[in-house]
Amino acid sequence: MFNPGEGDFRSARSMKWMTDITIKGPDQPIEYTDPLLLVGSCFTEHIGNRLQDLKFSVLQNPHGILFDPLSVCNSLVSYIDKKVYQPADLFFYNELWQSWSHHSRFSGMDQEQVLANINQSQHKAHIFLQSARWLVITLGSSFSYRLTENEKDVANCHRAPAQWFQKHMCTIDETVAALDNTLYRLFRFNPHLRVIFTVSPVRHLRDGIVENNRSKARLLEAVHHLVNKFNRLYYFPAYELVIDVLRDYRFYDIDLAHPNYQATEFVLEKFRQHYISAPAHQLMDQVQQVITARRHKAFQPGTNAHRQFLESFAGKTARLREQYPFLDLSEEADYFESGARRE
């Protein structure tokens, strides 16, 4: 007997609900012992924080969050040159000493302390970049800003009046030229360095929907031009994974601009699958167990069961440290061992 809904139901069961995407990882993927420097937009820090939690050797955003390619390039060149910032590089606004080249996380009321923090970060980045095996660059926007009075590049406007700045959308040629020159200097400074480019899926809605899409399109074109030019450059499609594969507002936060936890986890899992070596996956899982146990809050910390829990993970942590001496699990080991002794 004909069932008018049966065909539609079978058809729905066989439908594809997500677009396929081909991700080509590097021939030699990231190993646990590879130092990684990550620079760029806030989405850079999603990747960096996860890798840091899992005890990879990571340094992220020594200038703080950066969005446009010119600011990213200026920061990388400053690490190569080991630039030392001077009092003249700071300005005083809203009761704080600030730097046009740095995120507001470096701002403060004490000028000497602000400079000390900036230059300490510079020194650390210079040393780290010398031995880094990977550089992850996440570009967020083609829009750059310059001071109206002297056309100095500005990485962060620090909520200063809009009339202080000239807003400019970098052309593809500008972006390619800036990144090309920076890559040339990077490879001379560290011949072993390999670079992963991503374009942030965060939508810059303040620029406008059309302008945001134009901005992202320029970044994508510039990055792919460079990836096709150099054999040590790779492209990880974080942007496409959110915009074209997930492509649903339920994967965004309430601001409708930033990917939410589920979307970020989806992208990070793809990064793990295609960019991190298979032997490292099992170790990542073991480290994650230790990290999760360290963050566990016991309802009844005085019980025998909790003491056994602490002793068990103290043993697991000790075995991991012995087998993989490059893992820094000292904080976790102290927590489990001291907790077990107290109980």
Side-chain angles (χ1 to χ4, degrees):
M1 183 176 177
F2 174 69
N3 184 340
E6 186 177 349
D8 293 338
F9 178 70
R10 277 201 291 252
S11 190
R13 283 189 300 176
S14 62
M15 287 176 67
K16 289 173 61 177
W17 296 103
M18 300 178 80
T19 305
D20 292 330
I21 185 170
T22 300
I23 301 177
K24 188 178 186 304
D27 296 332
Q28 296 179 325
I30 299 167
E31 300 291 348
Y32 238 112
T33 50
D34 289 346
L36 298 98
L37 174 64
L38 300 97
V39 298
S41 81
C42 53
F43 200 77
T44 298
E45 303 202 343
H46 288 300
I47 300 174
N49 289 339
R50 174 55 58 84
L51 295 174
Q52 205 162 39
D53 282 347
L54 292 170
K55 307 301 179 180
F56 281 81
S57 176
V58 168
L59 179 64
Q60 56 179 328
N61 277 338
H63 266 59
I65 293 168
L66 303 170
F67 296 102
D68 70 276
L70 301 185
S71 297
V72 168
C73 290
N74 290 339
S75 71
L76 290 169
V77 170
S78 79
Y79 309 148
I80 295 170
D81 292 341
K82 201 178 178 181
K83 177 178 178 177
V84 177
Y85 284 81
Q86 305 296 332
D89 294 312
L90 302 183
F91 68 99
F92 192 72
Y93 180 69
N94 275 345
E95 302 183 83
L96 299 173
W97 289 100
Q98 317 209 49
S99 165
W100 292 123
S101 301
H102 292 77
H103 188 267
S104 56
R105 69 176 63 162
F106 286 95
S107 301
M109 298 177 68
D110 186 322
Q111 183 188 42
E112 290 186 5
Q113 189 59 56
V114 170
L115 276 177
N117 291 340
I118 287 174
N119 287 324
Q120 182 181 16
S121 184
Q122 286 289 115
H123 178 75
K124 186 176 181 180
H126 175 80
I127 299 300
F128 193 92
L129 186 55
Q130 284 180 320
S131 60
R133 287 296 175 266
W134 292 94
L135 169 63
V136 181
I137 298 176
T138 303
L139 301 175
S141 173
S142 292
F143 283 103
S144 69
Y145 291 82
R146 297 179 182 127
L147 287 175
T148 302
E149 62 178 4
N150 58 13
E151 296 192 349
K152 174 184 171 65
D153 289 329
V154 171
N156 193 301
C157 295
H158 299 292
R159 300 186 179 180
Q163 59 266 28
W164 287 18
F165 310 101
Q166 300 171 5
K167 184 177 181 181
H168 168 70
M169 186 189 288
C170 296
T171 66
I172 295 172
D173 287 344
E174 279 180 282
T175 302
V176 168
L179 289 169
D180 199 353
N181 291 335
T182 303
L183 289 167
Y184 176 75
R185 295 199 59 183
L186 283 167
F187 293 147
R188 288 192 63 189
F189 182 69
N190 180 348
H192 303 291
L193 188 68
R194 289 184 286 172
V195 181
I196 300 169
F197 278 106
T198 71
V199 172
S200 170
V202 176
R203 305 161 75 218
H204 291 242
L205 298 180
R206 290 183 185 177
D207 296 324
I209 295 289
V210 173
E211 289 78 6
N212 172 73
N213 288 340
R214 290 180 64 207
S215 165
K216 300 288 188 184
R218 294 186 182 195
L219 296 178
L220 290 166
E221 183 61 31
V223 165
H224 283 288
H225 173 86
L226 292 166
V227 169
N228 291 334
K229 179 178 178 179
F230 292 94
N231 60 7
R232 285 185 284 173
L233 267 57
Y234 307 91
Y235 177 72
F236 174 68
Y239 177 81
E240 290 82 357
L241 284 167
V242 175
I243 301 297
D244 292 312
V245 176
L246 297 181
R247 58 181 308 172
D248 192 306
Y249 275 115
R250 66 192 164 126
F251 294 110
Y252 281 87
D253 276 339
I254 194 169
D255 63 0
L256 304 182
H258 289 78
N260 63 16
Y261 176 80
Q262 288 86 354
T264 303
E265 286 295 299
F266 178 78
V267 173
L268 291 173
E269 180 56 29
K270 295 296 182 183
F271 186 82
R272 165 184 159 131
Q273 288 175 13
H274 297 280
Y275 276 79
I276 297 178
S277 71
H281 291 180
Q282 184 177 2
L283 180 53
M284 291 170 72
D285 292 338
Q286 294 179 69
V287 172
Q288 184 61 62
Q289 290 176 9
V290 171
I291 302 305
T292 302
R294 166 65 180 87
R295 293 172 178 169
H296 173 70
K297 301 294 183 185
F299 288 114
Q300 300 295 337
T303 61
N304 227 13
H306 184 61
R307 181 178 58 79
Q308 291 173 357
F309 170 83
L310 293 172
E311 289 176 349
S312 171
F313 274 96
K316 289 180 180 179
T317 305
R319 288 190 292 274
L320 279 176
R321 296 178 77 189
E322 182 178 355
Q323 190 173 358
Y324 306 102
F326 55 83
L327 290 177
D328 182 9
L329 291 169
S330 53
E331 179 189 338
E332 289 74 19
D334 290 345
Y335 173 79
F336 294 129
E337 291 167 6
S338 62
R341 285 195 299 270
R342 282 198 305 271
E343 299 305 330

